[in-house]
Amino acid sequence: MTPGAAAAGGRPDETFMSLAFVQSPDALALCDTDLRLVRTNAEMARVLGLSEDRTRGLPASEIVRPGEGDRIVAVMRQARESGLAQRFETSLRTPDGSPLCFWSVSAIPLKDRNGQVRRLFLAARDSTEQHRARQRLLLINEASTGIGSTLDITRTTQELVDVLMPRLGDFTSVDTLAALEGGGEPGPGTLTGAITMRRRAHGSIVHDEPMVPIGTMATYPEFTPAAESLAAGRGKIYTVTEAAFERWATYDPVRAARSRSFGTHSLMAVPMRARGITLGVVVVTRHQRPEPFGPDDLLLAEEIIARAAVCVDNARRYTRERGTAIALQRSLLPQRLPCQSALEVASRYLPAGELTGVGGDWFDVIPLSGARVALVVGDVVGHGIHASASMGRLRTAVRTLADIDLPPDELLTHLDDLVTRVSDESEAAEAADDDGGMGATCLYAVYDPTSRRCCLARAGHPPPAVVAPDGTVDFIDLPVAPPLGLGELPYESAEVELAEGSLLALYTNGLIGARGRDLDKGFEALRETLTRPAGSLDDLCDTVLEDLVRGRPADDIALLIARPRALEADQIATWDLLADPSAVATVRRKVSAQLADWGLDEAVFTTELVVSELVTNAIRHAGTPLRLRMIHDRSLICEVSDGSITAPHLRRARTFDEGGRGLLLVAQLTQRWGTRYTRDGKTIWAEQFLPTG
């Protein structure tokens, strides 16, 4: 009977079923209940590398390499015992040594009319391509989540290597262009010729010392895959031949010999580009895996490296911006505290910004006239570059106001006007949400070593702490005033005397409010810490931060601790003067004698001229009382005080003028001079620097 006749009869045609079994593109086999092959189709025979006659009677466990068929046998037994079809995915190599393949396998029990399992039907479909596609998707997903966890270029490139190794290659290296150092970027134009790059990361399945250590620079000639791919601007696959080894050996015989010894046979070089910028190159090689790279491997590598390049570029940009921010911060904060005799000072600055490393808190130490010193601590609301820039404006304003010797309360009043003006300008520019008004607090203190008196005023700032010589700690009771920029209440100052051996601690709110503690508890914690003895002021600063701050603070912190000193009595000379021109000659003699006592004979001539001009001007143009004071410190300071509030002015005298040259002469003979106002009048001072040694 022909197949067509059988089909026409309306009965299932077993001949057709046999043809379907033989000609199926899937690998099929029929097994008995002992799991021995009864029959195989042509595809199964091809996969096994045996003829159908040789497969007959072969145990199912022997159709693959020893050990790899255990799961197949176990699943077939489960199908036989349960009577239910079993499906699973497996990877295996057949005995003919074919590459590792992935199969979707079904084990189907065949039952008779009584439900008894009589045969097992085994169907296997090659799913290698589907499996590889899934693995590529998984690898891309892993790259998306595993690369770029930080803004560090070296860490990011190593994460790229960890994703590529060993699933795509046996050795992977990432090199970045030298132009990227410090966050820079290469200039326009094609990258041609020999290229020097820094090794950022690498990985190998062979544990051996790398030829190019991480962090070192290496040059790649123009004939190397790395340089060629950069010049072409795209990824390329290379088959490593003996001729390639010999050419490389002429340039670097050691590295060529190493690559030859590993048996490197296939290589991919892929440029790392992001936002139109070439950042470097990634090289992936194979020497253990026998199969060479293919087009799909290159596409996969390009996709992963493109994602990583964006992360590397983000890290590069962050490095550049952070460098700019830190440079800004350093330019705004004092790099070293000025030399002066009134105070021994130590400081610490701890920004809250983990990424930028900049903040809005600041401190300053400003030498003033008369050997006095101003201490400043301030806090601008917010963090980051904007807060740092606002802080810089306030610090500059404080220094400018301090230069004209304003008392603390008046200085804060002028500073309050500045902050109010800046806030109004921000609102007018409709930028209050982004670069909004400047909110800030400030504490300003002026210490006079001639009297041990300290005058302080605050604007919404926590009070300073004073550590007495016996170790007790008190917070100075300063008049309460609002933060800068509110303009609600006037600022008031208070004056205290600092005993010999005491300490003065100024700080910002982030110190006492660290770790979310209540401010009252913060004050008590600071009080307890300051009572502990410390070897130096620097040690005390470290102790305060260790006790009150753990980890990265939530708010910026500035800390300034000062040990006040007093000038000795023999460093100061004071004379009350008569409002009589004849007193000038007497003063000159007294000044000359005092300088001789101080051992400053070389300064006699200049000082006599300066004192004569200042005293003469005071007698002619000012009111009583008149007083001359000289201070011998790091410099020689001459001060003439009078009862007038009229400010002196420099002017250029005409040829036949009898006066008008006094202050011009003082300005020429001294390094600094100026005027400060007091409750009783004013003081004109002049300072001469003394030779050191």
Side-chain angles (χ1 to χ4, degrees), residues 99-102 126-139 286 289 291 296-297 300:
L100 182 67
C101 295
F102 296 87
D126 188 349
S127 60
T128 301
E129 288 305 317
Q130 294 90 328
H131 175 82
R132 290 176 178 171
R134 289 196 299 270
Q135 292 302 309
R136 291 187 181 100
L137 290 176
L138 290 174
L139 196 57
R286 285 180 178 175
R289 193 177 310 188
E291 59 270 18
D296 289 343
D297 296 319
L300 177 61

Coordinates of all heavy atoms in Angstrom, one line a residue, residues 99-102 126-139 286 289 291 296-297 300:
P99 N 32.3 21.7 20.1 CA 32.2 22.8 21.1 C 31.0 22.6 22.0 O 30.0 22.0 21.6 CB 32.2 24.0 20.2 CG 32.7 23.7 18.9 CD 32.3 22.2 18.7
L100 N 31.1 23.2 23.1 CA 30.0 23.2 24.0 C 28.7 23.8 23.4 O 28.7 24.9 22.9 CB 30.3 24.0 25.3 CG 29.3 24.0 26.4 CD1 29.1 22.6 27.0 CD2 29.7 25.0 27.5
C101 N 27.6 23.0 23.5 CA 26.4 23.4 22.9 C 25.3 23.4 24.0 O 25.4 22.7 25.0 CB 25.9 22.5 21.7 SG 27.0 22.6 20.3
F102 N 24.2 24.1 23.7 CA 23.1 24.1 24.7 C 21.9 23.5 24.0 O 21.6 23.9 22.8 CB 22.8 25.6 25.1 CG 24.0 26.2 25.9 CD1 25.0 26.8 25.2 CD2 24.1 26.1 27.3 CE1 26.1 27.3 25.9 CE2 25.1 26.6 28.0 CZ 26.1 27.2 27.3
D126 N 18.7 22.1 19.3 CA 19.8 23.0 19.6 C 19.3 24.4 19.9 O 18.8 25.1 19.1 CB 20.7 23.0 18.4 CG 22.0 23.7 18.6 OD1 22.2 24.3 19.7 OD2 23.0 23.6 17.8
S127 N 19.6 24.8 21.1 CA 19.2 26.2 21.6 C 20.4 27.1 21.9 O 20.3 28.0 22.7 CB 18.3 26.1 22.8 OG 18.9 25.5 23.9
T128 N 21.5 26.7 21.2 CA 22.8 27.4 21.6 C 22.6 28.9 21.3 O 23.0 29.8 22.1 CB 23.9 26.9 20.7 OG1 24.1 25.5 21.1 CG2 25.2 27.6 21.1
E129 N 22.1 29.3 20.1 CA 22.0 30.7 19.8 C 21.0 31.4 20.7 O 21.3 32.6 21.1 CB 21.5 30.8 18.3 CG 22.5 30.4 17.3 CD 23.8 31.2 17.5 OE1 23.7 32.5 17.7 OE2 24.9 30.6 17.4
Q130 N 19.9 30.8 21.0 CA 19.0 31.4 22.0 C 19.6 31.6 23.4 O 19.4 32.6 24.0 CB 17.7 30.6 22.1 CG 16.8 30.5 20.9 CD 17.2 29.3 20.0 OE1 18.4 28.9 19.9 NE2 16.2 28.8 19.3
H131 N 20.4 30.6 23.8 CA 21.1 30.7 25.1 C 22.1 31.8 25.0 O 22.2 32.6 26.0 CB 21.8 29.4 25.4 CG 22.6 29.4 26.6 ND1 22.0 29.3 27.9 CD2 23.9 29.6 26.8 CE1 23.0 29.4 28.8 NE2 24.2 29.6 28.2
R132 N 22.9 31.9 24.0 CA 23.8 33.0 23.9 C 23.2 34.3 23.8 O 23.7 35.3 24.4 CB 24.7 32.7 22.7 CG 25.7 31.5 22.8 CD 26.4 31.3 21.5 NE 27.4 30.2 21.7 CZ 28.1 29.6 20.7 NH1 27.9 30.1 19.5 NH2 28.9 28.6 21.0
A133 N 22.1 34.4 23.2 CA 21.3 35.7 23.1 C 20.9 36.1 24.5 O 21.0 37.3 24.9 CB 20.1 35.6 22.2
R134 N 20.4 35.1 25.3 CA 20.0 35.4 26.7 C 21.2 35.8 27.5 O 21.1 36.8 28.3 CB 19.3 34.2 27.3 CG 17.9 33.9 26.7 CD 17.1 33.0 27.7 NE 17.8 31.7 27.8 CZ 17.6 30.7 27.0 NH1 16.7 30.8 26.0 NH2 18.2 29.5 27.2
Q135 N 22.3 35.2 27.3 CA 23.5 35.5 28.1 C 24.0 36.9 27.7 O 24.4 37.6 28.6 CB 24.6 34.5 27.8 CG 24.3 33.1 28.4 CD 24.0 33.1 29.9 OE1 24.8 33.6 30.6 NE2 22.9 32.5 30.3
R136 N 23.8 37.3 26.5 CA 24.2 38.6 26.1 C 23.4 39.7 26.8 O 23.8 40.7 27.3 CB 24.2 38.8 24.6 CG 25.2 38.0 23.8 CD 25.2 38.4 22.3 NE 26.2 37.6 21.6 CZ 25.9 36.5 20.9 NH1 24.6 36.1 20.8 NH2 26.8 35.8 20.2
L137 N 22.0 39.4 26.8 CA 21.1 40.3 27.5 C 21.5 40.4 29.0 O 21.4 41.5 29.6 CB 19.7 39.9 27.3 CG 19.2 40.0 25.8 CD1 17.7 39.5 25.7 CD2 19.2 41.5 25.4
L138 N 21.7 39.2 29.6 CA 22.1 39.2 31.0 C 23.4 40.0 31.2 O 23.5 40.7 32.2 CB 22.2 37.8 31.5 CG 20.9 37.0 31.6 CD1 21.2 35.6 32.0 CD2 20.0 37.6 32.6
L139 N 24.3 39.9 30.3 CA 25.6 40.6 30.5 C 25.4 42.1 30.3 O 26.0 42.8 31.1 CB 26.6 40.0 29.4 CG 28.1 40.4 29.7 CD1 28.5 39.9 31.0 CD2 28.9 39.8 28.5
R286 N 41.7 36.4 23.6 CA 41.5 35.0 23.9 C 42.7 34.2 23.6 O 43.3 34.3 22.6 CB 40.3 34.5 23.0 CG 38.9 35.0 23.5 CD 37.8 34.4 22.7 NE 36.5 34.9 23.1 CZ 35.3 34.6 22.6 NH1 35.3 33.9 21.4 NH2 34.2 35.1 23.1
R289 N 40.3 30.0 25.5 CA 39.1 29.7 24.8 C 39.4 29.5 23.3 O 40.0 30.4 22.7 CB 38.0 30.8 24.9 CG 36.6 30.4 24.5 CD 35.7 31.5 24.8 NE 35.7 32.0 26.1 CZ 34.9 32.9 26.6 NH1 33.9 33.3 25.9 NH2 35.0 33.3 27.9
E291 N 37.6 29.2 20.5 CA 36.9 29.9 19.4 C 37.3 31.3 19.3 O 37.5 32.0 20.3 CB 35.3 29.8 19.6 CG 34.8 30.4 20.8 CD 34.8 29.4 22.0 OE1 35.5 28.4 21.9 OE2 34.1 29.7 23.0
D296 N 29.2 39.0 16.5 CA 28.3 39.1 17.6 C 29.0 39.5 18.9 O 28.6 40.3 19.7 CB 27.5 37.8 17.9 CG 26.5 37.6 16.8 OD1 26.1 38.5 16.1 OD2 26.0 36.4 16.7
D297 N 30.2 39.0 19.1 CA 31.1 39.3 20.2 C 31.5 40.8 20.2 O 31.4 41.5 21.2 CB 32.3 38.4 20.3 CG 32.0 37.0 20.5 OD1 31.1 36.7 21.3 OD2 32.6 36.1 19.8
L300 N 28.5 42.9 21.1 CA 28.2 42.9 22.5 C 29.2 43.7 23.3 O 28.9 44.5 24.1 CB 28.3 41.4 23.0 CG 28.1 41.2 24.5 CD1 26.7 41.7 25.0 CD2 28.3 39.7 24.8

